[in-house]
């Protein structure tokens, strides 16, 4: 811990936090996992919730059954209403920060919907500002629902091209899993995983069952099933070094994925 | 709703898109971005550079800021300083993650904001929390000559795991930059305790030369060991919609803040 205690000394003595040697010294601290037994499950907006009852009810039932065995943090996507908001606001030339703010509300609406559906099981919706209460909900109810957008609002990164917020609900859910040192991150979408092209537009698209972050980036795919920035975040992960994308329209896959089975696309940090 | 599993879409230019195919997103998002608050001037007060230095330094800066009040439209963002470093040090020792460090250090930057706001309160200046800065800054600046905010962006637990080490990357320089760019501000001035950006750390090397004017690419290319502003600001400048220039000035020298806010070149200007 010599390196570590000298790191604290230099931080306190006013060494510049832009000094890469000071930053390197902070590597030597251990990584404490805050909620290590929790699985984060993201329920897609456009891919699932926008499909209504026929798609959502089976997923809710599967989550309810899984809750008896697993501790679940359930994040929500935004979906088609966010796309409408983004298109409208972008056409008006509004900044990415405003798009983020209004898109965040849509993920919140979807969290509210899931919350009403799971209310009878005692599963609460917990907003980001109330995350300090998550451990209690997870201990008492084994589950909580949260809106998947990261709370960047007007401070969202601006994309190098266009106006769409780069860090959306895939990134927000991933960062929840990573910061809490969770066991796993599962994205429940409407495709079997990552394909070589968007399978909704290209019938020749092939499933990629497993790939590293570097491999996915090197493929330079025209479209992705998961937000690109998640791949960048995974490179620097301390805890969550793999994520799985599964098809929530096929009953049973979520249960298997939670049990650690490979039933979709596994993306690993290395 | 139909009973099958077909998604119900709201018609829009981005309907059915993953938003990840650049060729499909581009046509719907290629408008120039408006400047929401084109008269806004953002000033970032260094925590370590100004606030930690105590009464004399702070009151001198406050005095200069008061002179800028009649022109209105000032957003003053505060750094965290030594207490931010302390709480990060304690948390690092316990192995807590970057997001927790960001949330705790952010709380300390906020306290510095309350101190600055208290000193300007008689002029109608208040501290505004993130949600108010993000959504109601316009009305506050219509009613008051200035507002004070936390320099940290509201990332907190959602700060990105850094490539090197565990110190959060989006601190108060980054937060001030992001909010200035989002609002399309007129200018962004970083108040430091050195004359600007030097070709070496002026605290360690007496021969360090001041760079009066430098581009983002030049500065990145120099691979300087330390910088008076967070490195991520340079990356943010590359994709910024409006904020293609910043100035770093020495707030301990009387007249610099007033000069910089009047558009004068008194420190280092970094351009894209």
């Amino acid at each position: 811990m010599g390196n570590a205690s000298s790191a604290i000394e230099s931080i306190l003595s006013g060494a510049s936090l832009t000094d890469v040697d000071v930053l390197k010294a902070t590597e030597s601290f251990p990584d404490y996992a805050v909620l290590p037994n929790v699985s984060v499950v993201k329920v897609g907006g456009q891919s699932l919730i926008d499909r209504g009852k026929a798609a959502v009810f089976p997923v809710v039932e599967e989550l309810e059954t899984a809750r008896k065995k697993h501790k679940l943090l359930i994040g929500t996507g935004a979906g088609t209403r966010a796309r409408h908001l983004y298109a409208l606001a972008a056409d008006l030339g509004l900044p990415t920060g405003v798009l983020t703010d209004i898109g965040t509300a849509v993920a919140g609406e979807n969290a509210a919907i899931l919350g009403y559906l799971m209310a009878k099981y005692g599963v609460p919706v917990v907003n980001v500002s109330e995350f300090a209460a998550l451990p209690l909900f997870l201990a008492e109810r084994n589950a909580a629902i949260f809106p998947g957008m990261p709370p960047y609002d007007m401070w969202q990164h601006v994309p190098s091209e266009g106006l769409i917020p780069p860090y959306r609900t895939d990134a927000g859910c991933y960062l929840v899993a990573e910061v809490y040192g969770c066991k796993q991150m599962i994205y429940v979408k409407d495709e079997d995983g990552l394909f070589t092209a968007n399978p909704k537009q290209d019938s020749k698209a092939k499933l990629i069952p497993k790939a590293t972050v570097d491999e996915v980036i090197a493929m330079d795919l025209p479209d992705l099933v998961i937000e690109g920035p998640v791949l960048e975040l995974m490179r620097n992960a301390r805890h969550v070094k793999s994520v799985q994308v599964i098809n929530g329209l096929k009953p049973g896959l979520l249960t298997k994925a939670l049990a650690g089975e490979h039933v979709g696309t596994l993306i690993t940090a290395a | 709703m139909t009973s099958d599993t077909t998604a119900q879409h709201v018609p829009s230019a981005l309907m059915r898109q993953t938003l990840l195919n650049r060729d499909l997103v581009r046509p719907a998002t290629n408008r120039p971005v408006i400047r929401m608050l084109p008269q806004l001037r953002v000033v970032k007060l260094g925590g370590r550079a100004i606030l930690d230095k105590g009464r004399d330094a702070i009151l001198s800066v406050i005095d200069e800021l008061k002179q800028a009040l009649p022109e209105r439209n000032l957003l003053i963002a505060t750094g965290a300083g030594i207490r931010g470093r302390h709480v990060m040090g304690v948390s690092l020792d316990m192995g807590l993650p970057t997001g927790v460090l960001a949330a705790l250090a952010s709380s300390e930057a906020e306290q510095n904001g309350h101190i600055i706001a208290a000193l300007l309160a008689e002029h109608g200046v208040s501290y505004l929390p993130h949600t108010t800065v993000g959504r109601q800054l316009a009305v506050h600046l219509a009613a008051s000559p200035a507002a004070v905010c936390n320099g940290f962006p509201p990332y907190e637990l959602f700060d990105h795991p850094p490539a090197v080490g565990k110190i959060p990357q989006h601190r108060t320089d980054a937060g001030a930059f992001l909010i200035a760019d989002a609002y399309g501000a007129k200018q962004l001035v970083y108040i430091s305790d050195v004359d600007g950006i030097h070709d070496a750390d002026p605290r360690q090397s007496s021969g360090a030369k001041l760079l009066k004017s430098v581009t983002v690419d030049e500065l990145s290319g120099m691979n300087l060991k330390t910088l008076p502003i967070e490195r991520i600001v340079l990356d943010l400048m590359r994709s910024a919609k409006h904020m293609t220039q910043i100035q770093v000035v020495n707030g301990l020298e009387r007249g610099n803040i007033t000069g910089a806010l009047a558009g004068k070149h008194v420190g280092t200007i970094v351009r894209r």
Side-chain angles (χ1 to χ4, degrees), chain B:
Chain B
M1 265 306 149
T2 51
S3 60
D4 65 29
T5 62
T6 313
Q8 303 293 309
H9 294 281
V10 179
S12 80
L14 296 169
M15 183 171 74
R16 295 177 200 272
Q17 289 202 25
T18 61
L19 303 182
L20 296 165
N21 183 326
R22 293 169 59 192
D23 295 334
L24 295 179
V25 169
R26 194 180 296 120
T29 63
N30 58 2
R31 296 256 187 216
V33 184
I34 65 165
R35 286 184 188 263
M36 287 175 68
L37 295 175
Q39 300 305 319
L40 179 68
R41 298 171 297 162
V42 180
V43 173
K44 155 73 206 298
L45 290 189
R48 189 171 56 126
I50 304 295
L51 280 136
D52 290 351
K53 294 204 159 60
R55 181 183 172 92
D56 290 350
I58 295 171
L59 291 183
S60 162
V61 168
I62 290 285
D63 218 40
E64 280 207 61
L65 290 173
K66 276 182 193 168
Q67 291 174 34
L69 293 182
E71 283 179 60
R72 311 181 74 87
N73 290 306
L74 200 58
L75 179 65
I76 304 162
T78 50
I82 187 69
R83 296 184 314 283
R85 283 162 179 264
H86 182 266
V87 77
M88 288 198 288
V90 170
S91 308
L92 273 172
D93 187 47
M94 297 179 185
L96 293 173
T98 295
V100 170
L101 270 58
L104 294 169
S106 172
S107 166
E108 289 299 349
E110 173 175 344
Q111 306 324 308
N112 283 339
H114 289 301
I115 288 173
I116 296 299
L119 294 169
L120 291 167
E122 62 171 321
H123 303 282
V125 178
S126 297
Y127 176 86
L128 305 181
H130 282 125
T131 48
T132 309
V133 173
R135 290 181 167 166
Q136 286 103 28
L137 187 58
V139 69
H140 281 270
L141 289 180
S144 160
V148 182
C149 71
N150 185 345
F152 266 91
Y155 285 24
E156 304 200 351
L157 296 179
F158 294 78
D159 207 335
H160 307 167
V164 179
K166 301 173 77 172
I167 303 286
Q169 302 164 86
H170 298 91
R171 301 191 302 277
T172 55
D173 295 339
F177 185 88
L178 288 162
I179 196 70
D181 189 56
Y183 274 122
K186 186 161 79 175
Q187 58 179 181
L188 170 57
V189 179
Y190 290 98
I191 314 289
S192 183
D193 59 350
V194 290
D195 292 337
I197 303 177
H198 295 72
D199 63 357
D201 192 332
R203 292 190 188 86
Q204 282 158 17
S205 156
S206 56
K209 276 219 301 264
L210 181 69
L211 306 164
K212 289 288 282 178
S213 193
V214 66
T215 69
V216 170
D217 284 344
E218 286 165 358
L219 201 49
S220 305
M222 287 178 185
N223 283 318
L224 298 176
K225 186 165 165 64
T226 65
L227 283 178
I229 53 167
E230 292 153 22
R231 285 183 199 277
I232 199 165
V233 171
L234 301 180
D235 294 330
L236 297 173
M237 280 187 83
R238 293 181 205 277
S239 46
K241 298 293 179 192
H242 303 292
M243 205 45 63
T244 55
Q245 176 176 320
I246 58 171
Q247 187 167 190
V248 182
V249 306
N250 188 343
L252 300 178
E253 262 179 42
R254 204 57 188 214
N256 276 351
I257 298 175
T258 311
L261 285 173
K264 289 189 188 139
H265 186 168
V266 292
T268 296
I269 290 182
V270 184
R271 288 189 180 85
R272 182 153 80 192

Side-chain angles (χ1 to χ4, degrees), chain A residues 252-264:
Chain A
L253 293 189
L254 173 57
T255 306
K256 287 182 177 169
L258 282 167
E261 286 182 47
H262 179 178
V263 291

